[in-house]
Amino acid sequence: MTVPSRKRPEIVAPAGNLEKLKFAVLYGADSVYFGGEEHNLRIQSDNFTRGDIGEALDFCKKHGAGTIFLMNSFLHEKDIPAAARYIGEMKGFPFDAVMVSDPGMMALVRESGAPWKVHLSTQMSTLNHLAVRFWHRAGVDRIVLAREATLEEIRMVRDNTDAEIEVFVHGALCVAYSGRCLLSRFMAGRDANRGDCAQACRWRYSLVEEKREGSHLDIIEHASGTEILSSKDLCLIDRLAEYIDAGVDALKIEGRMKSIYYSANTARIYRHAAECAGTPGFEKNLPFYREELDLVSHRPYTADVFNEFDGEGFGPVPYIRKAMFMGYSAGTATDGASLVKTFNPIRPNETLEAIFPITDTVQDDRFLVKEIRDSEGTIVDLARPNALYRITFDRELGENAILRKRL
Ligand code: SF4
């Protein structure tokens, strides 16, 4: 493995809502990206209200994390006045950077006089140093390269430009150039370029011969589905040292629609791995990193999106879920019980795994549920999802632990 000689890149984590943002930061993200109620590319996500944005900025400042605000939708002519108004309304928020895809949006940001740095989204499909130089000279501070850029291309970009570069290291991929795709709009009237992708490429398809209407022929690619267009997920953990050595400034994790558990665990694993890359500790920890990334929901992983399409074609792409996110500890009561926000049902006498931010050592462990009390203080035999319970474990859990159960 190449030994990285460069500085540790920033870990950039997804924050689909305020809870996910807080856990991503507590678990190791150096910066987080999130969208407001307009003009970002995930209109299905619980996007941030103005109140959420204020709280997110205070939280990130307190914990020394950077903030990247998403304004990365593509603008039609009719969208321009609303985008200009929205930028004016957001101008007072001290984001570290704003992410754009459309040069028109960038022009509106610059014209507004807002002091934010500008990051260019992967949606612009930047693949080479000439394009990076072009955007850098045009005033872009950081370019998120296309996910299709190979390691060799990343090295070429680094060696021939001074601009900050960011690459995706983990998460879902498209079969089109990062969302520049009309399939969802065609099939469901939902435009991926305006933040509303229905992931139509992952639906089940069958073939129908013209003269045999109603006779649907499955295209059997694997036992659980026929997602003939669906891509594997990206996971660069095994090759992280090479990417760091190539000189990237930031490593990005995809997944604003995923759970708190996903945001937190991917942030902590990539943060820890980036800190260890190039030391004997990295190789020692690699099985742990791999196992933890296998325990967040994902499709089969690939480390080579570009060459994935050569020769082999698409392999099976069932969704893999090996652990269930049960909840997190939001505090500790005076008697040592944990205040647990639940996401799935929890019962007495079951053993849950808890994960924690990695400090000097990995503190992850198993905890036995001894007693559950509801908000009235009554002992119950089931903690239902989406509520706060007081749970006594066989020993004190502490705050900000994330609870999961292996499936
Ligand atoms: S339909 Fe699939 S390929 Fe197209 S933008 Fe959505 S996720 Fe990407």
Side-chain angles (χ1 to χ4, degrees):
M1 180 180 291
T2 319
V3 177
S5 51
R6 317 258 190 178
K7 70 177 170 57
R8 177 177 76 76
E10 179 181 319
I11 303 298
V12 183
N17 62 28
L18 198 51
E19 273 180 316
K20 294 177 193 177
L21 177 143
K22 289 180 179 176
F23 272 90
V25 169
L26 290 172
Y27 274 64
D30 296 294
S31 59
V32 279
Y33 60 97
F34 55 95
E37 291 164 304
E38 296 176 40
H39 297 292
N40 78 86
L41 283 178
R42 275 286 181 272
I43 63 173
Q44 302 293 317
S45 174
D46 311 334
N47 287 309
F48 287 56
T49 62
R50 283 167 178 68
D52 291 339
I53 293 173
E55 194 176 335
L57 288 168
D58 287 347
F59 186 87
C60 288
K61 190 171 173 199
K62 186 170 158 212
H63 290 85
T67 49
I68 301 165
F69 188 64
L70 303 171
M71 295 206 56
N72 53 352
S73 65
F74 286 93
L75 299 173
H76 286 264
E77 285 292 337
K78 66 177 171 45
D79 302 325
I80 293 173
R85 172 194 46 75
Y86 189 59
I87 291 168
E89 289 169 16
M90 293 292 111
K91 215 168 98 176
F93 287 116
F95 306 118
D96 292 298
V98 62
M99 173 81 70
V100 303
S101 301
D102 187 331
M105 187 74 89
M106 177 172 155
L108 290 176
V109 168
R110 288 296 184 229
E111 279 164 22
S112 77
W116 313 314
K117 286 185 174 176
V118 171
H119 293 185
L120 187 70
S121 166
T122 192
Q123 295 274 124
M124 195 36 80
S125 302
T126 309
L127 284 161
N128 63 70
H129 72 275
L130 295 176
V132 170
R133 252 188 227 159
F134 171 86
W135 287 117
H136 195 37
R137 285 177 189 151
V140 174
D141 298 281
R142 179 184 293 179
I143 292 98
V144 185
L145 297 181
R147 281 177 258 217
E148 296 77 14
T150 64
L151 182 57
E152 261 326 293
E153 288 168 336
I154 293 168
R155 287 200 182 104
M156 285 291 289
V157 168
R158 176 68 303 145
D159 293 347
N160 289 285
T161 67
D162 298 325
E164 284 185 26
I165 53 174
E166 180 170 308
V167 299
F168 275 88
V169 287
H170 196 94
L173 295 166
C174 284
V175 286
Y177 264 90
S178 293
R180 305 184 78 170
C181 161
L182 288 174
L183 188 63
S184 169
R185 183 168 166 191
F186 175 66
M187 300 291 288
R190 289 173 49 181
D191 190 346
N193 299 296
R194 297 166 70 76
D196 198 16
C197 177
Q199 299 216 315
C201 59
R202 325 229 188 241
W203 296 354
R204 293 183 150 220
Y205 292 91
S206 62
L207 276 181
V208 180
E209 200 278 327
E210 264 187 10
K211 297 191 181 68
R212 289 173 178 76
E213 205 179 317
S215 172
H216 293 243
L217 304 173
D218 276 355
I219 305 158
I220 299 168
E221 292 223 328
H222 59 83
S224 53
T226 55
E227 305 118 325
I228 56 172
L229 299 170
S230 183
S231 171
K232 292 177 182 174
D233 281 359
L234 182 67
C235 178
L236 294 183
I237 195 73
D238 283 46
R239 305 188 61 187
L240 204 65
E242 292 171 81
Y243 280 81
I244 295 174
D245 194 48
V248 297
D249 298 283
L251 304 171
K252 184 170 208 153
I253 299 162
E254 183 275 347
R256 279 196 290 146
M257 304 291 282
K258 298 265 181 89
S259 66
I260 293 170
Y261 164 55
Y262 172 95
S263 294
N265 208 11
T266 52
R268 77 173 187 143
I269 294 302
Y270 278 98
R271 169 71 182 266
H272 197 264
E275 290 197 356
C276 287
T279 72
F282 181 87
E283 290 297 338
K284 194 169 136 265
N285 287 323
L286 193 53
F288 167 70
Y289 300 150
R290 285 187 188 134
E291 184 183 12
E292 285 300 314
L293 294 175
D294 199 33
L295 285 169
V296 295
S297 61
H298 64 96
R299 297 182 186 84
Y301 285 134
T302 176
D304 189 1
V305 57
F306 193 72
N307 292 311
E308 189 65 35
F309 304 113
D310 292 347
E312 282 181 46
F314 286 99
V317 283
Y319 214 72
I320 299 166
R321 200 172 271 118
K322 294 187 176 173
M324 196 190 286
F325 171 41
M326 308 303 286
Y328 66 80
S329 62
T332 307
T334 43
D335 62 356
S338 291
L339 301 173
V340 174
K341 166 117 187 250
T342 54
F343 284 77
N344 274 296
I346 299 177
R347 292 181 176 78
N349 298 318
E350 66 180 345
T351 300
L352 303 178
E353 285 185 11
I355 66 165
F356 299 87
I358 300 171
T359 49
D360 288 342
T361 53
V362 177
Q363 302 169 61
D364 302 358
D365 212 338
R366 286 161 193 270
F367 289 79
L368 176 69
V369 178
K370 303 283 278 186
E371 184 187 87
I372 304 174
R373 286 178 189 267
D374 64 14
S375 55
E376 314 282 300
T378 309
I379 295 178
V380 292
D381 56 9
L382 175 71
R384 297 180 189 282
N386 299 315
L388 204 59
Y389 287 88
R390 230 171 71 176
I391 300 185
T392 307
F393 293 94
D394 53 347
R395 60 199 186 284
E396 203 167 301
L397 181 65
E399 277 184 44
N400 301 320
I402 289 179
L403 297 163
R404 73 181 174 202
K405 191 159 84 175
R406 295 209 189 207
L407 297 172

